[in-house]
Amino acid sequence: MENCTNVTNATCVDGDSGQGYVLNTRRKVMLSIDILMFIIGFFGNGSVIFITLRHRGLRTVPNLLITNLAFGDLMFIMSVVFINILYPLLPGVHLYMFHFCEFFYFVQFLSLGVSVFTLTALSVDRYTTVAYPMHKQRIARRLTIWTVVIIWFISIAVCCPWFTLINDNSCWFNKSISSAIYLISLMMLMYIAPTIIMIVCYFLTAKRLLHKNASLNLDPRGGNKQQKKRSRLAVIVLVMTIAFILCSTLVYVWFLTAYFSPFNRFVTNQVVKETKSLLNKINSVINPIILYLMSTTYRRYFLQHFCFFLKCSNGKRERGIITQTQPSTNGTDLARQSTRLVNVPLREGMAPIKEEDSRI
């Protein structure tokens, strides 16, 4: 039995001889990368989910959407990447039973669908927040959960045809008109259309922000703290969007080319195939890295819990810098409250971060 596909990190050697799979040097490097990606993706996405759900002040609309993004990436890490690690290490386990190929492609593109639709929702949210701030405050929270449900429903519906169009023996599409239509539609629905929407939203958001920044500069009273927070979050989501586009473009281009021109040098090149696979995995681990590098609030919470679990006291009680809100002079204008830095314990009894300081 010679039934090997490009979805694993193993080298096939005469399956009927009982020797199963062996790893050459290049495959060992790829396996090491998979293990590294699994560790970073599991703890990165898992910590984002834990921190957002653990702290009530962080459950804002954009943060909940970012958490949904982390759920989609974690699903990919726990299924596809985890199986890629196990398959060459456990040659006796026949993972290609029970329609494994269909499941592999389904989960891979389901994760891409959740990511692109969530990033699209985030871009629309950033525009509506900047363009219609008061109107958005009244309705956005009620729509967030429904938005997440719709994202998963659409992603699952779009990816279900993988189970009917894939030949399990070859682990590839059956040659038919329906397969060609599906691949083209998949790229339109999950790549081209969302990308256009995101570009338009960020163009309009940037235009609004530049106009509002100019207005704030003319205001002698200042009061642009909230505007800076919105601008920072817009930049974070923009960086996530650019990372997604860069990582997913090669995936879609390769699949389309492989179907319509299977013997093309671009398709058969091993470096291209491994780069495609690597970019797909990077896409599932890079969002938490971007969030922790650019968001001071999430980074502060991450360090707080990291120190707590590792008990990094060195015989003394560790102290961290936590932002607390100083009472306003008039007691009403929360948007203009000043902040001061105080040293408080990172363990039990730590003063919580106020909700207005818990945003990105």
Side-chain angles (χ1 to χ4, degrees):
M1 184 183 75
E2 279 287 326
N3 183 19
C4 289
T5 66
N6 57 5
V7 299
T8 65
N9 290 329
T11 302
C12 186
V13 291
D14 191 11
D16 291 330
S17 65
Q19 296 178 6
Y21 288 79
V22 296
L23 293 172
N24 56 31
T25 302
R26 181 170 54 84
R27 300 296 180 177
K28 289 179 181 178
V29 172
M30 294 300 296
L31 178 60
S32 301
I33 293 176
D34 280 346
I35 295 174
L36 179 63
M37 291 292 178
F38 178 84
I39 295 173
I40 297 175
F42 178 80
F43 288 102
N45 291 294
S47 62
V48 170
I49 296 170
F50 171 78
I51 290 172
T52 305
L53 299 181
R54 172 68 176 80
H55 300 281
R56 186 168 184 172
L58 287 176
R59 298 174 201 168
T60 60
V61 172
N63 289 354
L64 290 175
L65 289 175
I66 290 175
T67 303
N68 185 57
L69 193 66
F71 267 111
D73 291 337
L74 187 62
M75 176 191 64
F76 179 84
I77 291 293
M78 293 296 295
S79 55
V80 174
V81 178
F82 184 67
I83 290 174
N84 268 349
I85 294 173
L86 285 184
Y87 192 73
L89 298 179
L90 300 174
V93 179
H94 299 287
L95 295 176
Y96 282 97
M97 298 174 64
F98 308 110
H99 305 285
F100 171 74
C101 286
E102 293 94 323
F103 171 78
F104 183 93
Y105 288 123
F106 172 79
V107 174
Q108 178 179 350
F109 280 87
L110 176 60
S111 176
L112 288 173
V114 171
S115 296
V116 71
F117 293 140
T118 303
L119 288 171
T120 304
L122 276 167
S123 64
V124 174
D125 173 77
R126 288 303 86 205
Y127 171 69
T128 56
T129 300
V130 173
Y132 312 103
M134 299 307 297
H135 180 68
K136 188 257 181 190
Q137 290 287 338
R138 292 195 297 267
I139 65 173
R141 289 179 182 271
R142 292 179 297 175
L143 294 178
T144 305
I145 301 300
W146 283 108
T147 301
V148 171
V149 172
I150 292 173
I151 286 172
W152 280 91
F153 177 80
I154 294 177
S155 300
I156 292 174
V158 171
C159 295
C160 275
W162 284 101
F163 286 101
T164 61
L165 299 176
I166 292 292
N167 186 332
D168 203 39
N169 293 325
S170 62
C171 204
W172 190 240
F173 283 100
N174 296 313
K175 285 291 182 177
S176 63
I177 297 297
S178 57
S179 297
I181 294 175
Y182 174 70
L183 269 179
I184 296 174
S185 302
L186 186 73
M187 189 166 186
M188 290 293 298
L189 291 174
M190 290 178 53
Y191 181 76
I192 296 177
T195 301
I196 293 174
I197 294 174
M198 287 186 284
I199 291 174
V200 172
C201 285
Y202 282 117
F203 173 78
L204 297 175
T205 301
K207 186 177 179 181
R208 288 273 186 170
L209 286 174
L210 290 174
H211 176 72
K212 289 193 174 186
N213 285 337
S215 301
L216 288 171
N217 290 335
L218 296 176
D219 185 0
R221 298 173 299 174
N224 59 351
K225 177 181 177 182
Q226 192 67 25
Q227 191 69 18
K228 289 182 178 179
K229 289 182 179 180
R230 291 173 181 172
S231 301
R232 182 190 302 173
L233 179 55
V235 172
I236 292 175
V237 178
L238 177 60
V239 173
M240 289 181 176
T241 302
I242 294 174
F244 173 82
I245 293 174
L246 292 177
C247 292
S248 62
T249 298
L250 183 61
V251 176
Y252 286 105
V253 172
W254 187 91
F255 269 93
L256 279 178
T257 309
Y259 181 82
F260 292 102
S261 181
F263 301 105
N264 189 293
R265 289 184 179 180
F266 173 78
V267 174
T268 58
N269 188 283
Q270 189 66 26
V271 175
V272 172
K273 290 192 287 186
E274 291 180 351
T275 302
K276 168 187 69 72
S277 177
L278 180 61
L279 287 176
N280 207 16
K281 295 162 189 172
I282 291 176
N283 183 56
S284 64
V285 304
I286 196 169
N287 290 326
I289 298 175
I290 295 173
L291 187 62
Y292 287 132
L293 288 177
M294 301 184 67
S295 171
T296 55
T297 300
Y298 268 95
R299 184 167 61 250
R300 190 163 60 241
Y301 272 120
F302 176 79
L303 293 176
Q304 168 194 330
H305 291 290
F306 182 77
C307 284
F308 177 79
F309 285 117
L310 291 186
K311 299 180 180 180
C312 50
S313 60
N314 295 325
K316 297 180 180 180
R317 183 180 291 271
E318 289 288 335
R319 293 179 177 272
I321 297 177
I322 302 296
T323 303
Q324 288 186 327
T325 303
Q326 190 178 32
S328 174
T329 55
N330 56 18
T332 58
D333 192 2
L334 292 178
R336 296 181 180 176
Q337 286 181 348
S338 60
T339 59
R340 62 186 179 91
L341 298 179
V342 295
N343 286 331
V344 296
L346 286 177
R347 296 185 180 181
E348 297 180 0
M350 187 191 73
I353 301 174
K354 302 298 183 182
E355 181 173 355
E356 57 270 17
D357 289 325
S358 297
R359 300 178 182 178
I360 297 291

